[in-house]
Amino acid sequence: MKKYVFLAFFALIAFVVKAQDESGDLVKEGQQMPAFTIVNDNGTQVPSSSLKRKVILVNFFATWCPPCQKELAEVQKMLWPKYKDNKDFVLLVIGREHTDVELQKYNEKKGFTFPLYPDKNRAIYGAFAKNLIPRSYLVDKTGKVVYATKGYSDEEFAELMKRIEAALK
């Protein structure tokens, strides 16, 4: 009997370790933001190195993702009006596996006033995570990730707003 309890215990440990591996996290709080370049359909580029000494919110979404829709509606309603004119803040809402054309059509349909950026081959997303959206990474002025979320909840969004305010001080 002890042998079975022992085996069950190790099976549980193996399951927990595997579940942690499948979280999809490549970048965690406390780590530096990975370098990346946003490449628009027309060839223009926005390298992350051009955003030094700014508080950056990197948000990954997809147009077909229901939790992403809820989160972006809150960005439009609460976050963007508050921070859009702050010279120390940058919002990068990045469409995973989307092109500029797709994002432009989506933006027209939704009426968002913040910019959307393409990541048609998951090049940027792949530097941050393996799976799961929406995801957000708040980066302080030193380039360190100070808050990371996946999925969407009203409570987490409220916490994100507090963290942005603290990072801007």
Side-chain angles (χ1 to χ4, degrees):
M1 181 65 166
K2 285 183 183 179
K3 180 177 161 181
Y4 292 114
V5 170
F6 185 73
L7 288 173
F9 175 73
F10 278 103
L12 178 63
I13 296 296
F15 175 77
V16 169
V17 169
K18 183 168 175 35
Q20 288 175 344
D21 274 350
E22 292 174 358
S23 70
D25 296 328
L26 296 176
V27 175
K28 296 175 177 59
E29 290 178 26
Q31 295 180 326
Q32 287 296 115
M33 177 180 75
F36 60 87
T37 300
I38 296 171
V39 180
N40 294 302
D41 291 353
N42 66 7
T44 61
Q45 298 184 2
V46 180
S48 58
S49 60
S50 70
L51 307 173
K52 288 187 180 192
R53 293 180 285 285
K54 304 271 186 195
V55 171
I56 306 162
L57 178 60
V58 180
N59 173 271
F60 294 102
F61 82 103
T63 60
W64 51 263
C65 165
C68 300
Q69 309 313 308
K70 288 181 77 174
E71 184 172 55
L72 293 182
E74 288 302 306
V75 167
Q76 178 64 42
K77 185 169 95 180
M78 304 286 291
L79 191 149
W80 188 238
K82 185 170 185 174
Y83 297 111
K84 69 180 178 184
D85 296 323
N86 188 318
K87 64 180 178 39
D88 294 323
F89 179 75
V90 176
L91 175 64
L92 298 176
V93 179
I94 301 174
R96 188 183 77 174
E97 297 180 352
H98 291 297
T99 65
D100 278 330
V101 172
E102 292 167 334
L103 294 175
Q104 183 179 5
K105 288 178 186 173
Y106 175 75
N107 217 6
E108 288 168 6
K109 177 181 170 187
K110 292 292 187 177
F112 296 143
T113 58
F114 51 86
L116 302 176
Y117 299 94
D119 186 20
K120 53 188 157 204
N121 299 319
R122 286 192 184 202
I124 302 166
Y125 181 81
F128 284 83
K130 294 179 193 174
N131 56 32
L132 303 175
I133 51 173
R135 281 184 178 268
S136 291
Y137 298 87
L138 181 62
V139 180
D140 71 8
K141 292 178 183 179
T142 69
K144 185 172 71 173
V145 175
V146 293
Y147 190 59
T149 67
K150 57 187 162 208
Y152 174 79
S153 74
D154 293 337
E155 298 78 21
E156 212 164 40
F157 192 82
E159 181 64 23
L160 175 62
M161 293 292 288
K162 289 179 193 170
R163 299 281 187 112
I164 292 170
E165 197 61 37
L168 287 168
K169 289 184 179 175

